[in-house]
Amino acid sequence: MVARVQTVAFIGLEARSIDVQVQIARGGAKFTIVGLPDKAVAESQERVRAALSAIGLALPFQRITVNLSPADLPKEGSHYDLPIALGLLAAMGVVDLEALAGYAAVGELALDGRVSPVPGVLLAALHASTNELGLICPAVQGGEAAWAGCDVLAAPDLLSLLNHLKGTQLLAAPVASVAEDAPQAPDLAAVKGQETAKRALEIAAAGGHNLLMSGPPGAGKSLLAAALPGILPPLSPREALEVSMVASVAGALDGGKLIRARPFRAPHHSASMAALVGGGNRARPGEVSLAHLGVLFLDELPEFQRQVLDSLRQPLETGEVSIARAALHVTYPARVQLIAAMNPCRCGHLSDPALACARAPRCAADYQSKLSGPLLDRIDLHVEVEPVSAADLALPPPAEGSAEVAARVAAARALQTARYEAHGVRTNAEADGKLLEDVATPDEAGRKLLMQAAESMRLTARGYHRVLRVARTLADLAGAECVARIHIAEALSYRRRAPVN
């Protein structure tokens, strides 16, 4: 007899059905797992053996074959432990196979029989629900699986699960859980001066635009970036599910609770390409995917490796990351808002001759040359952050803080939600092609200004369209129906980059 238990394999954010087939036949004692298992799957036989021993069961002294079907799909991860163990128990007659027929199972087994958490439970639950199955998963991730609406058996250990399947114990139904609010972001009222930078931050938040801030050390660039989450609108339920799916497959859901705060990721400049855009042996999502629908903050931008930064060009344009390997091809979402900060040169004081290094201004040209033109062309807003004087710091806090700015941002985002609802677009930064022409075509005066600026500033086609997107956001913040000359003019002012003197 062959016992069958359902589980899943993860290919990016896609869960595929896997049929775990277990056969116990006559022959010498041997435990074999076939079906392209990786090292973690192949080692599961020892974890399963120890877990069964912990509950007083021993594997039969016979030939045990476990086939993971389809056999040509690579199998990765430790979540195959539980379905393999359940298949063995069914083949041994310990568990009724009918009791497992309506479930898929995921979970890692500890040596003492506990069911340990694994990445991807939310995806597995959604897949099981789509296929009209229940899900057997670790107890600590029951709240994560409960969001899928399917029947969930959240088992703390193998013995409790067996007793439940036999009817001698009842596992409590898990309750869908949500993560607590993120720590409070700094208030914009704490930023003294920097009105131009705060205006650019508001525009970036309202339209989902990328922003680059350049200025000397201590001017407040990092503080401005940290304040951005405080003015962004909260995630919608659908967006929260998208963000949580990425975090789930990366194993980053805290206690199996759905995320409801927009991600804010700030990797160190020593991050590798695989860490930033994803990859590695198991093609895991990188920082740009973990920041999906949130903020990716890159401080000290020129200190990142150039090839690492250039790897962001495709995600910033398409909103997704495609990772190709010899055995598989996976795609992760990466619709992020890039906020970057940099010093104008390595010493950081290009504009102050008393503090600048002896190589100025040549050091600035060398430092800024680490950033490629195509990457900078994908950044909508370029802002020079001026140093803050002692007189500015002595001023009282500004009357307007994050709450007032967040209200304007929310109103502008509401206009965009209504405008793009039928087009599958969330913000002005995502509008493109015919849609962008329909919603952001300026009036005659604005069109003339844009054409003149395109010639004099030598705007690329990408730069031209990004000016239109920013101008549309400015019109939304002003509550204007049409993009006017004043909106084009302000959008162009953020397109300029200060020359190196």
Side-chain angles (χ1 to χ4, degrees), residues 256-274:
K257 298 177 180 179
L258 245 65
I259 298 172
R260 59 182 180 184
R262 289 191 182 273
F264 183 87
R265 308 288 298 190
H268 190 260
H269 57 74
S270 62
S272 65
M273 188 179 300

Side-chain angles (χ1 to χ4, degrees), residues 15 17 29 34 57 64 83 159 180 187 201 240 253 260 262 343 389 394 449 457 461 498:
S17 297
V34 296
L57 296 174
I64 300 172
L159 183 59
E180 298 178 358
D187 197 291
L201 197 71
L253 275 187
R260 59 182 180 184
R262 289 191 182 273
N343 297 328
S389 66
L449 176 61
M457 297 173 66

Side-chain angles (χ1 to χ4, degrees), residues 374-385:
L375 175 65
L376 292 174
D377 202 33
R378 287 167 167 81
I379 299 178
D380 307 325
L381 305 166
H382 297 254
V383 179
E384 295 294 323
V385 182

Side-chain angles (χ1 to χ4, degrees), residues 48-355:
V48 169
R49 190 191 307 273
L52 294 182
S53 176
I55 62 174
L57 296 174
L59 292 177
F61 196 77
Q62 292 178 284
R63 185 182 184 90
I64 300 172
T65 304
V66 177
N67 179 40
L68 306 177
S69 176
D72 61 344
L73 181 68
K75 318 299 188 306
E76 299 177 341
S78 59
H79 66 276
Y80 292 95
D81 289 5
L82 186 57
I84 289 174
L86 292 175
L88 273 169
L89 292 170
M92 293 163 58
V94 177
V95 177
D96 186 1
L97 195 57
E98 292 296 324
L100 299 172
Y103 291 93
V106 291
E108 178 184 327
L109 289 177
L111 299 184
D112 58 0
R114 288 177 298 170
V115 183
S116 303
V118 291
V121 167
L122 179 58
L123 273 72
L126 292 170
H127 179 79
S129 179
T130 302
N131 290 275
E132 299 182 349
L133 295 172
L135 182 72
I136 303 173
C137 69
V140 295
Q141 295 177 298
E144 177 182 344
W147 285 102
C150 62
D151 182 20
V152 177
L153 296 182
D157 52 66
L158 192 57
L159 183 59
S160 299
L161 178 59
L162 292 181
N163 291 335
H164 177 90
L165 294 174
K166 290 181 177 182
T168 59
Q169 181 180 344
L170 185 63
L171 292 175
V175 178
S177 54
V178 179
E180 298 178 358
D181 290 333
Q184 186 69 30
D187 197 291
L188 280 175
V191 181
K192 303 293 183 68
Q194 308 298 5
E195 297 305 319
T196 300
K198 286 193 281 189
R199 170 67 170 169
L201 197 71
E202 178 180 343
I203 298 167
H209 304 290
N210 302 324
L211 169 65
L212 172 61
M213 296 178 285
S214 177
K221 303 184 296 295
S222 298
L223 179 60
L224 284 163
L228 179 58
I231 64 175
L232 288 172
L235 292 169
S236 67
R238 181 177 179 179
E239 289 175 334
L241 185 61
E242 284 187 49
V243 171
S244 298
M245 287 171 64
V246 178
S248 176
V249 78
L253 275 187
D254 184 18
K257 298 177 180 179
L258 245 65
I259 298 172
R260 59 182 180 184
R262 289 191 182 273
F264 183 87
R265 308 288 298 190
H268 190 260
H269 57 74
S270 62
S272 65
M273 188 179 300
L276 196 61
V277 299
N281 293 333
R282 299 177 63 183
R284 288 303 186 204
E287 292 291 330
V288 71
S289 293
L290 293 172
H292 178 57
L293 298 181
V295 177
L296 177 65
F297 176 47
L298 301 184
D299 201 4
E300 307 296 344
L301 188 65
E303 298 295 339
F304 285 82
Q305 299 177 47
R306 179 163 183 165
Q307 62 267 32
V308 172
L309 290 179
D310 283 341
S311 68
L312 290 174
R313 285 154 57 175
Q314 183 219 11
L316 291 178
E317 196 72 23
T318 64
E320 61 182 23
V321 172
S322 296
I323 303 170
R325 294 289 182 270
L328 79 164
H329 185 282
V330 299
T331 300
Y332 291 111
R335 182 64 66 184
V336 300
Q337 188 172 357
L338 174 65
I339 306 297
M342 61 177 285
N343 297 328
C345 60
R346 185 169 292 278
C347 68
H349 297 284
L350 180 66
S351 60
D352 190 343
L355 298 174

